Amino acid sequence: MKLRTKTIIAISIVSVLIFGALQIVTVFVIEPSFDNLENHESSQSISQALNTIGYRLSELSGKVKDYSFWDDTYNFVQNGNEEYVNNNFVESTFENLNVNLIVVVNNSRSLVYCQTIDLNNGTEVTTSEETRNMLTSDDCIWAFPSQEGSVAGIMLVDDQPMLVATAPILTSLNQGPMMGGMLFGKYLDSQEVSQLTKIMNLNFSLETITDFNLQKGNNQIVGSLQSNEQTVFVKPNNPETVSGYALVNDVHSNPLFILQVTQNRIAYQQGVWVRDIFLAASVLLALSFGAGFLLLLEREIVKPMTKLATYVAEMPLNPDASVPKTLIHSSEELAVLTNAVRDTVNKKLEGMNEVSRMVGHDLRNPLTGIKAASYVLKKNYGSKMGAKGNAQLRTIDDCVEYSDKIVRDLLEYSCEIKLDKIITNPKRLVNDSLSTLVVPDNVQIIKALGEEFSVFVDNGKIERVFCNLIKNAFDAMPNGGELRITSGKVSDEVKIAFSDSGVGMSREVLEKLWTPFFTTKAKGMGVGLSICKRIINAHGGRIEVQSVQGKGTYFTVFLPAAK
């Protein structure tokens, strides 16, 4: 057998082995990797949907507390004043609060007020007797964890999933005794789901397990989830879309609902593309390897050996024949460059930044209109409205101011931080910050600040940080205490420390302290400290915190010293 023939057979076997090995890698490595990536994306989408529902519930809790922690509501439960209902529970109230159901009960769990509104057409809906009895007899939704605590979750109301939040009825100072409870409810109807879909950029639905089981082929999904085999069940619908499923507990902590999130199979489609490219590359590699090796063999071995054999054969006939010139050999290295890793993750709704900018800009105009209307009413009709009317106007102004603060926080959090720096010192910064705040009578402020350390900072933004830290210290000392503010220089940095003797924070709270939209307060968006950290980082500094529950909190701001 000729060497060329043997070489061709050897190359064919090697090529088949290479192709088979690459196919094994494709089947057992690449394709499972993209399947895992698709499952991970579906799990993230489920988590995003659950977080959005949780955020809606926290919003609802905040709204119900705004009304239940109010002297007017407190008095209404006791005297049944119809003027309270006429002034506060008009159709526009439901629309502004974005709720379908408002319920007020007294301490004996008797209904004081109950009204359902269809927000789609703005009409009142008669609340069935069955629903009324269910709401008043449900111990779970009225079992508040504390005097100022609330209960929030999803429950089935008139065969529809509803987001509900309840809170105890207290005075405006959050004092008792508790006079009952208040419930706000929002149906998870098609309009609400459509709105959430736009916010999350995810197509999702929520239905009861019973309704879900009625659809063909869903028993396996429910069975797998209920047996705790999987927390998220992922099922491809077709080559274009995939759905993730998860159980959702109701307000009683019972798995009552199925959450379904459907999205495009971007990872799968890119995986198919990579698989095809990899298959083509593996075939091309095998062919290239065989052709290249044959060419190299032909040029480096076969042809020289053939010429040598011819020369040897001709030697007896022509002893004086010269040795044939050596063929010009060009050493060519065959390099096959294979890109096996591709970035297949489609980045989702940038999140709260784009949402924050959208919400902030959309809310600012109506808030300006409300404020202007309140001003006109106060100016033209203030003398005719009496004490109660003027009190309502002041309430509107306070609410507008609070809402405007939230809008400002959202816009500031979502925008790029630009600095207008000047040279100043910690003492001036702290004093300017304190001059804008009202110090509680029971809080003592001790300052040990020097003017010998200069910093090159944006005066307004650093004052914003200091005001936030000082306000948090005041809030942490409701019964009074001591706030100590000191400064010093550490290496090339200026240190400004804020130490309070307040209630302190737990380790769990400290771990989430800088997380955007995390707060332990009943009001607020939870972006204050996040903005503070961004501002300090923009200056090239850092902010640190230490806290012990029951002893207090110690914030330290480090800023580069001015050169």
Side-chain angles (χ1 to χ4, degrees):
M1 186 180 292
K2 293 183 179 181
L3 178 61
R4 183 184 287 108
T5 304
K6 291 181 178 180
T7 303
I8 291 174
I9 294 175
I11 290 175
S12 299
I13 294 174
V14 172
S15 299
V16 170
L17 291 176
I18 291 175
F19 180 78
L22 292 176
Q23 284 301 102
I24 291 174
V25 171
T26 301
V27 173
F28 293 100
V29 177
I30 294 180
E31 290 183 355
S33 297
F34 281 97
D35 290 340
N36 292 336
L37 181 60
E38 185 174 72
N39 292 340
H40 180 66
E41 283 186 340
S42 297
S43 298
Q44 283 187 324
S45 299
I46 289 288
S47 298
Q48 183 181 350
L50 291 174
N51 289 338
T52 302
I53 293 175
Y55 176 71
R56 280 289 203 234
L57 287 172
S58 66
E59 276 188 328
L60 202 60
S61 296
K63 291 175 181 178
V64 73
K65 282 185 176 181
D66 286 343
Y67 275 79
S68 66
F69 296 175
W70 189 21
D71 289 340
D72 288 6
T73 306
Y74 194 86
N75 296 329
F76 168 68
V77 176
Q78 300 177 71
N79 55 34
N81 181 12
E82 285 297 322
E83 185 179 354
Y84 170 85
V85 175
N86 296 332
N87 289 338
N88 295 286
F89 295 148
V90 294
E91 180 184 323
S92 60
T93 302
F94 287 78
E95 293 175 354
N96 293 334
L97 292 172
N98 192 28
V99 297
N100 297 101
L101 175 64
I102 295 179
V103 175
V104 179
V105 299
N106 56 24
N107 284 332
S108 61
R109 204 78 65 75
S110 299
L111 283 175
V112 179
Y113 175 81
C114 180
Q115 182 60 60
T116 304
I117 293 290
D118 186 345
L119 295 179
N120 295 325
N121 52 33
T123 58
E124 295 185 2
V125 179
T126 302
T127 307
S128 65
E129 194 65 26
E130 180 182 357
T131 299
R132 291 168 174 260
N133 293 335
M134 178 195 69
L135 293 174
T136 56
S137 61
D138 194 326
D139 293 329
C140 179
I141 61 176
W142 305 111
F144 306 115
S146 64
Q147 179 171 290
E148 299 179 15
S150 62
V151 177
I154 309 174
M155 62 188 304
L156 206 60
V157 178
D158 292 332
D159 296 326
Q160 292 187 68
M162 173 180 276
L163 303 176
V164 298
T166 61
I169 295 177
L170 304 172
T171 66
S172 297
L173 298 177
N174 298 357
Q175 295 177 349
M178 185 174 68
M179 282 298 165
M182 177 176 277
L183 178 146
F184 281 6
K186 177 67 178 77
Y187 281 118
L188 267 175
D189 52 17
S190 58
Q191 185 177 9
E192 178 70 4
V193 169
S194 176
Q195 185 178 0
L196 294 178
T197 297
K198 292 179 181 178
I199 293 176
M200 297 185 294
N201 196 26
L202 289 176
N203 183 14
F204 84 100
S205 63
L206 186 74
E207 55 186 323
T208 63
I209 294 177
T210 303
D211 293 339
F212 185 79
N213 275 331
L214 295 177
Q215 303 173 31
K216 185 178 180 181
N218 288 342
N219 291 333
Q220 178 188 358
I221 298 173
V222 176
S224 177
L225 292 173
Q226 289 180 333
S227 63
N228 292 325
E229 293 179 4
Q230 303 177 66
T231 56
V232 175
F233 189 97
V234 180
K235 179 182 178 183
N237 302 318
N238 50 55
E240 303 298 327
T241 62
V242 62
S243 292
Y245 304 86
L247 292 176
V248 178
N249 292 340
D250 63 4
V251 72
H252 306 96
S253 299
N254 296 321
L256 184 62
F257 303 98
I258 287 284
L259 175 66
Q260 176 181 351
V261 175
T262 302
Q263 57 188 353
N264 293 329
R265 301 188 70 183
I266 297 175
Y268 169 81
Q269 292 166 355
Q270 291 183 343
V272 170
W273 182 75
V274 170
R275 181 196 64 192
D276 294 340
I277 293 296
F278 198 77
L279 176 62
S282 63
V283 173
L284 182 62
L285 177 62
L287 293 177
S288 299
F289 173 78
F293 195 88
L294 281 175
L295 179 62
L296 184 65
L297 179 68
E298 189 73 19
R299 292 184 59 182
E300 301 294 333
I301 298 177
V302 175
K303 283 188 177 181
M305 290 295 294
T306 302
K307 288 188 176 183
L308 179 60
T310 303
Y311 169 72
V312 171
E314 291 178 351
M315 279 184 64
L317 303 175
N318 188 9
D320 297 327
S322 60
V323 178
K325 293 181 179 181
T326 305
L327 295 176
I328 300 176
H329 301 288
S330 56
S331 180
E332 298 180 2
E333 296 181 31
L334 186 62
V336 177
L337 193 58
T338 305
N339 295 324
V341 179
R342 303 257 182 206
D343 184 9
T344 58
V345 178
N346 183 26
K347 295 183 179 180
K348 304 292 181 184
L349 286 169
E350 302 253 315
M352 299 302 295
N353 286 352
E354 187 60 32
V355 173
S356 298
R357 287 193 291 269
M358 178 186 68
V359 172
H361 286 299
D362 289 349
L363 286 181
R364 177 150 283 180
N365 289 335
L367 285 176
T368 303
I370 294 172
K371 190 171 184 177
S374 174
Y375 174 78
V376 172
L377 287 174
K378 191 184 301 181
K379 180 178 179 182
N380 296 336
Y381 305 101
S383 60
K384 301 177 182 180
M385 296 179 68
K388 282 191 174 181
N390 282 282
Q392 293 294 324
L393 289 178
R394 285 193 296 273
T395 300
I396 292 174
D397 289 340
D398 292 343
C399 291
V400 168
E401 181 62 29
Y402 175 70
S403 301
D404 191 56
K405 179 184 178 300
I406 293 177
V407 170
R408 290 197 303 271
D409 285 345
L410 285 173
L411 291 176
E412 185 169 356
Y413 179 77
S414 62
C415 294
E416 180 183 356
I417 294 178
K418 297 180 180 179
L419 303 178
D420 185 13
K421 295 183 179 180
I422 62 172
I423 294 180
T424 183
N425 58 70
K427 184 175 182 179
R428 185 179 298 116
L429 289 170
V430 172
N431 289 336
D432 290 346
S433 302
L434 287 171
S435 66
T436 64
L437 301 174
V438 178
V439 180
D441 295 334
N442 57 357
V443 173
Q444 181 184 7
I445 297 180
I446 300 175
K447 295 183 291 183
L449 304 165
E451 298 180 351
E452 64 272 18
F453 313 122
S454 297
V455 289
F456 188 53
V457 297
D458 186 310
N459 192 70
K461 287 185 171 56
I462 295 299
E463 286 182 14
R464 163 75 187 273
V465 173
F466 289 177
C467 286
N468 195 295
L469 297 179
I470 294 171
K471 285 181 182 177
N472 286 345
F474 291 164
D475 293 340
M477 298 183 291
N479 299 322
E482 179 183 281
L483 173 61
R484 184 179 295 272
I485 308 175
T486 60
S487 67
K489 191 171 183 181
V490 180
S491 187
D492 293 332
E493 294 179 315
V494 175
K495 179 182 75 172
I496 305 96
F498 300 82
S499 176
D500 65 64
S501 58
V503 296
M505 292 178 284
S506 64
R507 179 179 300 177
E508 292 76 14
V509 173
L510 282 174
E511 290 175 353
K512 302 178 181 179
L513 191 63
W514 309 111
T515 304
F517 305 105
F518 169 77
T519 180
T520 58
K521 301 177 182 179
K523 291 185 177 182
M525 292 292 294
V527 297
L529 286 176
S530 300
I531 294 174
C532 291
K533 191 172 181 65
R534 288 183 60 204
I535 291 173
I536 298 302
N537 290 343
H539 283 82
R542 67 187 191 278
I543 183 170
E544 299 176 354
V545 60
Q546 298 174 343
S547 186
V548 178
Q549 277 189 298
K551 293 187 178 180
T553 302
Y554 187 84
F555 279 94
T556 310
V557 176
F558 294 91
L559 294 170
K563 296 181 180 179

